[in-house]
Amino acid sequence: MKAPAFDYARPETLEEVHALLAEHGDDARILAGGQSLMPTLALRLSGPALLVDVNRIPGLGAIEARGDGLQIGALARHAAVLASPLVAARAPVLTRALPHVGHVAIRSRGTFGGSIALADPAAEIPACALALEAEVVLEGADGSRVVPAADFFLGLYETAREPDEVVTAVRLPSQAGRRFGFAELARRHGDFALAGIAASARLDHDDRVTELRLVCFGCADRAVLADSAAARALGRRLDAATIAEVAAGLGADVEPIPSPEADAETRLHWARVLTARVLGALPTTPEVDA
Amino acid sequence: MSGPQSAGPIGRGLPRRETERLVRGRGRYGDDIVLPRMLHAAFVRSPHAHARIEHIEATAAAASTGVVRVLTGADIAAVCKPWVSKAENRATHRSGVQHAMPADRVVWQGEPVAVVLARSRAEAEDAAELVEVEWGPLPVVAEAAQALAADAPVIHPELGDNLAFEHHQVQGDVDAAFAAADRVIERRLRFGRQTAMTLEPRVVVADYDPAAEHLTVWHSHQSPYQMQDVFSRLLGIPEHRVRVVTPDVGGAFGAKINVYPDEMSAVAASVLLGRPVKFCADRLESFVSDIHSRDHEVVARIALDADGDVLAIDVDDLVSLGAFTPYMRFSISEALMVAMWTAAPYRMGAYRARGRVAYVNKPPVGMFRGVGMPVACAAGELLIDDAARALGEDPAAYRRRLYIADDAYPTRTASGMAVERMTLVRCLDALLEVSDYARLRAEQARLRERGVYRGIGLATVIEPSAFGPAYYGPTGARISVQDGSTVKLEPSGVVRCVTSVTDQGQGTLTGLAQIVASQLGVEPEAVEVVAGDSAVTPYGGGAWASRGMAIGGQATLDAAAALRANVLALAAGVLQTRAEALDLGDGQVRDAATGEARIALAEVARLAYFRQDLLPPGVQPELAVTRHFVPKGSLYYLSNGIQLCHLELDPETGAVRLLGHWAAEDCGRIVNRLLVDEQVRGGIAQGLAAAFWEHCRYDAEGQLLNASLADYLVPTACDLPDIAVTHVETPLADTTLGAKGVGEAGTIGAIGAAWTAVNDALAALGAVATEQPFTPASLLRALRER
Amino acid sequence: MSTDEARRRIRLEVNGETIEQEVAVRRHLADFLRLDLGLTGTHLGCEHGVCGACTVLVDGEPVRGCLMLAVQADGARVETVEGVTERGALADLQRAFVARNAAQCGFCSAGMLLTAASLLERTEAPDRDLIRAHLSGNLCRCTGYQSIVDAVEATWAARRAERAP
Ligand SMILES: Cc1cc2nc3c(=O)[nH]c(=O)nc-3n(C[C@H](O)[C@H](O)[C@H](O)COP(=O)(O)OP(=O)(O)OC[C@H]3O[C@@H](n4cnc5c(N)ncnc54)[C@H](O)[C@@H]3O)c2cc1C
Ligand code: FES
Ligand code: FES
């Protein structure tokens, strides 16, 4: 299981990356943490002519405050995000979700931007990005742009990223006043989810829902914002009846696809069960401080 | 022959000696071996489960960088004979001819058809991608039921149909019993395919020297002797010029006792090229080329009378074997074990079993920990559990009531199998005590009121181990059921034991050192054990069927006892006394009566080797003694035990969390408790793995759908529970050592215990699981179908 | 090795020694250690990132040796089981592995030891669930993990006791 032969470049600036991507087009692949790309090479599922290793580009790994929000550099390792007190304070759903991402050694190398760029439908980070109302910062040869997460994930491993663009960072707005929930069902610890739910909500003084972002992952071809289901909760308390209605409504937003593990029906069922559990816990979950 | 001299080193929980090296990175596994001019093999494997090989175009591959040769089936056939795996004593066993690489037709996805030999594995793989094979796809049979249908495509046309083996086991009038029954329960059970997934894949490094006409093979294998014989016969090299060395082996579990076509091809390539060749299976090819296990469909029925006694059990077992009965052990025992041992712990009126094994277009099911016994165990235990539930009896109490009593031996099982001795009731008592069964049941009832569904499952385990000459001899297979050891006193008073037993992590060699030490009155540290080299050690079986300690341990005990007698005789000559007046202890020859040290063992050795001039005239020192041992009376040594699995079911998701697992085990004399317990734990882990996670999933076209370690789910440290092991120790009467097998009991019982536990949790919801593995999806299905 | 295959010169520290040599860019770090440097204590159980047998320390962090190219380790500090053993850094854990029979075939052991290393620095009381989660990326086929968890727990506790005032 040796990777096929390829060439390797280790640019130290984004300009060099863009030049290489422009020159080699589809034959080039960006190499970040390698925790998803390297297995596909070993399995000879892909055979790029050139790997463009972005790991030595300075500054791309920073995790920093940005106003009341956060900016997480694309090269921030899963381990660094998991250990960051800033993340724990301002985006606690990531701190909850990251222990589910692979294992210790995977998290030493795997990157935040790599997971966003890969857009695995069962991955935790894209789902959290949706719940956090994140924006993806892309830099191409012609300049940079910022794409809301909700417009970024388009399908199975498919994103709004243009081939010449690099994901450089993910920006999170202030989460003040939001509460987060997260749950996933996986066959084993550290596996990609069979089904998962990430949620953020704001409740008023009367515990009524003023905002709910409900994200279902591991179910459809990508992580999906279940907006119409979530809307059923607006203005209501998260009591059993409301929760049941939201869970029942999931089918309108999420088009589950069958997996070798389970048929579409079962995956949606799991998403519903997890939705109920996550929503049920929200009222007793602390809010993010301003 | 005397028994173990003293409690001494026997029974001590000494750490395994190899571990010191292995945890310091000093292991030497097959893939670590590098020879001058060594070539690396990469195979081209069939993407089809059944197809004609129309043409193989290897020109581009042969011209690829680093490539030395590309060989196909015809090339290999020039030096390697095909083989037929046939049990001569089983009239109903029929087997096709197997080639190292077929020239005209493949019969499973993953069967090798060409091999590239190149300077590096990477280059060999590059070239393998360039080999173009023109395939003529043929109809596929992937399931036994389909394979046995009248119009099924036949995998081995010379056999006429796909029935590989059929066996009937009948005692008493089963039909009458069922007709008279007060209650009949029937279950259809599916057992999934598992694979051994040794962490170290299969490796062979072959070095054929054409000048010396000598073949040396470093082989990640359980039996260097078997492979010496196989290489010699199939490659036509005189046996004394074939040397097979087993270096450190990274897990075997039965998978590495089989003969593999790719390994044969790699060794044949070395013969053809006159250069060293390494083949190290990568993980992807392991999944489609290692042996698999089980893949049974069982229909089992139980007939009960009004009192809840068992009138009869009727079992119909169907095995989807794969494309061949693997060399050299046929795998017909997959079905034989089920037919012979289902519900064997229990008293009943009549018994009937039919076992059928069918050829299908999948990799062969071969030897893997437990061979058929996990199926026998689970099928029987599920019937007993169902009966207990129907009768409203506690499953532990019901078992006790039906068990063959501890004082009823020797006896026969309802299926007619001879049983020298079992301790079913004592093991049950021990288990219920360590697991605090009563408390678990009370807690289960309490939690159920709160909507928490816990399951407690029991499985009684029988482990026929150390199969003797009566089992393999009549098959005609060249399988040695004996083992041998040479024990040698070195001049400085330390000891070497050179043994045919092999060790892939079990710790058997440490146990042998303890046995030798006990006989010679030295510390186990003063005994070095040498194993795994067919040119050097006595001939034997190696490691399989949990025989190492039972058989090899006895051979070693006999050899060490004989050496002891020689040492004492020599010392008696020197000391001018009688041997009977002397004893050995703490490295000294001692006065047997007073314990007083008379002469150091090292001094006896020095005299024997260097100062023969001082010995009494006519004395010939013999300080190296070889003994072999083969079980005489019985077909097998029978260990028994029982397991309890404790779990929690999430009825909304179907997810199961394992809370704990207990085992009570009677494997006869325990030479090393530490190592025995870890054998039990490791075996249970593999059984639980099959029960909940591991499954080679095939589609109707014979394609393996999850052939990667990302998709074939091996449980992690988070998934498995702590396992408590307790023992009942009833030494075997047949040998002076008294040890029986223990390597497979864990796996044999774990699937059944897990299954009865899952059913125990499901029963509260009115559901039952009928197929393993139990996945969240399959348990939800069971709940929907209730 | 083929002539048309891309190669690079790399310089890195392996077990305290500075190594400077050419390597094929497609060669992963574990193969570089095993084939180029003869450090066969690092094992390959799957080569696609799942089993953890190839785990080595890169700049002190446990990393899958099969999921990192050797060229990517240019400038890094790499440590394998051989280096850790010679330094004596895990001698206590290795002793615990022996005493508890936490290795059977030993194929997973190097990866287990190196992954467990960071746990032993923790100051809180040992926690079996945490140990299990921490080791979840390292498959062991022989033991069922309990003995490994026991060995790590015992070593963690002993180190903690030693540090205590
Ligand atoms: C055993 C195992 C278990 C795992 N379990 C999980 C899990 O449970 N959940 C989970 O989410 N992940 C899991 N992963 C994957 C892991 O999280 C990866 O790290 C992650 O998905 C990809 O990040 P990376 O930095 O490794 O990307 P790489 O593997 O380097 O790249 C992945 C893809 O993204 C592209 N890419 C990477 N970075 C950029 C960028 N900055 N801009 C543009 N394109 C880029 C690459 O070209 C490539 O196509 C697991 C991996 C393994 C080996
Ligand atoms: S060999 Fe690297 S994870 Fe298995
Ligand atoms: S000891 Fe064999 S894999 Fe862990």
Side-chain angles (χ1 to χ4, degrees), chain B residues 329-419:
Chain B
R329 285 172 174 73
F330 336 110
S331 288
I332 58 178
S333 35
E334 275 295 325
L336 272 178
M337 294 298 129
V338 176
M340 291 169 169
W341 294 105
T342 299
Y346 304 102
R347 287 179 295 102
M348 68 189 80
Y351 179 90
R352 178 169 68 197
R354 174 174 71 156
R356 286 173 304 158
V357 177
Y359 290 116
V360 296
N361 293 115
K362 291 186 197 170
V365 163
M367 296 294 113
F368 172 68
R369 219 168 188 167
V371 191
M373 288 305 294
V375 175
C377 170
E381 294 300 300
L382 286 166
L383 286 181
I384 294 298
D385 246 37
D386 279 338
R389 197 169 294 117
L391 297 162
E393 288 202 37
D394 174 81
Y398 187 59
R399 280 175 172 78
R400 183 194 315 278
R401 165 180 160 193
L402 293 185
Y403 274 157
I404 301 171
D406 283 2
D407 59 5
Y409 301 96
T411 184
R412 285 188 177 272
T413 65
S415 56
M417 303 304 291
V419 183

Side-chain angles (χ1 to χ4, degrees), chain A residues 21 28-40 51-52 54-55 60 74-78 97-103 106-107 109-120 122-126 137-138 152 161-163 165-169 184 186 188-193 217, chain B residues 710, chain C residues 48-51 64 67 72 137:
Chain A
L21 293 178
R29 287 287 287 279
I30 292 173
L31 172 64
Q35 304 301 290
S36 295
L37 182 53
M38 289 284 291
T40 67
L51 291 190
V52 181
V54 296
N55 282 281
L60 283 191
L75 283 181
R77 310 282 174 194
H78 299 331
L98 274 160
H100 295 274
V101 178
H103 315 276
I106 305 296
R107 296 194 291 265
R109 292 289 299 168
T111 67
F112 203 77
S115 185
I116 294 283
L118 181 65
D120 189 296
E124 291 82 0
I125 291 171
V137 184
L138 296 160
F152 184 78
R161 185 179 75 86
E162 296 295 334
E165 286 179 318
V166 180
V167 174
T168 55
E184 76 170 56
R188 299 173 303 181
H189 184 89
D191 281 349
F192 283 99
F217 65 103
Chain C
H48 55 286
V50 187
C51 74
R64 300 279 207 238
L67 295 187
Q72 291 188 287

Side-chain angles (χ1 to χ4, degrees), chain B residues 694-711:
Chain B
E694 296 182 15
H695 191 199
C696 301
R697 288 199 317 265
Y698 275 86
D699 70 9
E701 289 305 307
Q703 297 286 321
L704 182 57
L705 302 175
N706 58 335
S708 87
L709 203 53
D711 300 309

Side-chain angles (χ1 to χ4, degrees), chain B residues 199 250-251 253, chain C residues 102-109 139-143 148:
Chain B
L199 197 56
F253 318 120
Chain C
Q104 288 183 27
C105 80
F107 206 71
C108 68
S109 305
L139 299 180
C140 175
R141 194 47 157 170
C142 302
T143 63
I148 296 172

Side-chain angles (χ1 to χ4, degrees), chain A residues 10-288:
Chain A
R10 199 168 63 206
E12 287 177 14
T13 64
L14 279 172
E15 292 68 46
E16 287 173 72
V17 176
H18 292 134
L20 288 164
L21 293 178
E23 186 189 336
H24 294 273
D26 279 354
D27 290 339
R29 287 287 287 279
I30 292 173
L31 172 64
Q35 304 301 290
S36 295
L37 182 53
M38 289 284 291
T40 67
L41 297 176
L43 299 165
R44 295 192 177 224
L45 294 173
S46 69
L50 175 71
L51 291 190
V52 181
D53 182 352
V54 296
N55 282 281
R56 304 291 170 103
I57 298 176
L60 283 191
I63 301 171
E64 52 204 6
R66 194 170 172 279
D68 292 336
L70 260 181
Q71 173 157 315
I72 301 177
L75 283 181
R77 310 282 174 194
H78 299 331
V81 179
L82 180 57
S84 163
L86 197 59
V87 171
R90 296 195 174 186
V93 69
L94 286 172
T95 314
R96 281 270 295 282
L98 274 160
H100 295 274
V101 178
H103 315 276
V104 170
I106 305 296
R107 296 194 291 265
S108 305
R109 292 289 299 168
T111 67
F112 203 77
S115 185
I116 294 283
L118 181 65
D120 189 296
E124 291 82 0
I125 291 171
C128 291
L130 287 167
L132 289 159
E133 231 180 332
E135 295 172 324
V136 180
V137 184
L138 296 160
E139 296 210 27
D142 301 331
S144 71
R145 61 184 179 123
V146 175
V147 181
D151 299 330
F152 184 78
F153 302 108
L154 302 179
L156 195 63
Y157 302 109
E158 205 190 313
T159 68
R161 185 179 75 86
E162 296 295 334
D164 73 323
E165 286 179 318
V166 180
V167 174
T168 55
V170 173
R171 287 181 188 160
L172 310 180
S174 167
Q175 308 292 324
R178 276 189 175 148
R179 314 155 183 257
F180 291 94
F182 182 90
E184 76 170 56
L185 178 69
R187 288 296 305 280
R188 299 173 303 181
H189 184 89
D191 281 349
F192 283 99
L194 290 175
I197 295 291
S200 69
R202 287 191 165 91
L203 308 186
D204 66 13
H205 61 280
D206 199 20
D207 272 355
R208 289 178 196 279
V209 176
T210 59
E211 179 204 65
L212 177 61
R213 297 175 70 80
L214 184 64
V215 187
C216 173
F217 65 103
C219 228
D221 61 347
R222 68 206 140 97
V224 181
L225 265 172
D227 281 338
S228 78
R232 298 181 176 201
L234 290 181
R236 300 169 63 177
R237 288 209 185 89
L238 288 170
D239 52 24
T242 309
I243 289 174
E245 262 186 63
V246 175
L250 220 48
D253 297 306
V254 181
E255 211 172 299
I257 50 176
S259 73
E261 196 67 50
D263 56 23
E265 186 66 23
T266 303
R267 299 184 90 186
L268 189 59
H269 166 80
W270 283 325
R272 289 194 167 115
V273 170
L274 296 179
T275 297
R277 291 179 185 178
V278 164
L279 295 186
L282 277 179
T284 51
T285 308
E287 294 177 359
V288 172

Side-chain angles (χ1 to χ4, degrees), chain B residues 381 384-385 388-389 392-400 403 427-446 448 454-459 642-647 660-664 724 753 756-757 760:
Chain B
E381 294 300 300
I384 294 298
D385 246 37
R389 197 169 294 117
E393 288 202 37
D394 174 81
Y398 187 59
R399 280 175 172 78
R400 183 194 315 278
Y403 274 157
C427 283
L428 175 66
D429 288 340
L431 180 83
L432 298 186
E433 190 185 326
V434 286
S435 63
D436 204 347
Y437 179 76
R439 186 186 58 78
L440 290 181
R441 282 286 178 214
E443 180 190 66
Q444 176 188 40
R446 207 167 53 245
R448 195 154 287 174
R454 293 225 163 145
I456 299 164
L458 296 170
I642 181 164
Q643 293 178 25
L644 186 152
C645 176
H646 189 214
L647 53 76
H661 203 99
W662 288 264
T756 54
D760 188 46

